[in-house]
Amino acid sequence: MKDSDFVRRIIGILTEAKQMQTLLEENPDREDISGDNVRALLNETMPTIELPVDASPAELGEALSLQLSPVIERLTGAFSLIFLQLADVHDAGRTDVTAADVLQDLALRADALWPGDDSV
């Protein structure tokens, strides 16, 4: 998966979280709000995990760490980059641009901004 794919999934997660927040602000007693879409977007970034059948708990922990660390690092990087873009707009005092506008622009330009590799 390319870095731009990670960025797009994080943008999807942030967009979905904002929609959930808006729905809950409109009606805090809603019971039809679920994190299924966020979970699905996050799961798309996760690799298939292979664990040895006869591994000790320590070996299982090490195997999980080795397989998940690269993805977690890329997700953290994508969240950080998106946050910095949003913070720059906020700190500049821009009132003509919403957070949704910034996220949409980033999603459209993701391949150019974060070409990255697809090793993970």
Side-chain angles (χ1 to χ4, degrees), residues 23-114:
L23 291 172
L24 287 170
E25 285 173 352
E26 291 170 358
N27 181 2
D29 297 326
R30 286 185 79 121
E31 294 184 13
D32 61 338
I33 303 293
S34 118
D36 290 346
N37 291 339
V38 170
R39 190 175 309 104
L41 287 164
L42 187 58
N43 284 341
E44 290 174 9
T45 66
M46 292 294 140
T48 301
I49 303 295
E50 296 182 18
L51 300 173
V53 177
D54 58 346
S56 69
E59 291 168 330
L60 288 174
E62 181 66 20
L64 282 171
S65 178
L66 287 172
Q67 293 177 58
L68 291 177
S69 290
V71 173
I72 292 170
E73 289 171 13
R74 290 177 82 183
L75 287 171
T76 303
F79 266 113
S80 299
L81 290 169
I82 293 167
F83 169 79
L84 292 172
Q85 294 290 315
L86 289 165
D88 285 347
V89 170
H90 174 270
D91 291 349
R94 301 273 313 266
T95 57
D96 60 319
V97 179
T98 67
D101 294 334
V102 173
L103 293 175
Q104 181 179 20
D105 180 62
L106 290 174
L108 293 171
R109 298 184 308 127
D111 285 325
L113 294 171
W114 298 285

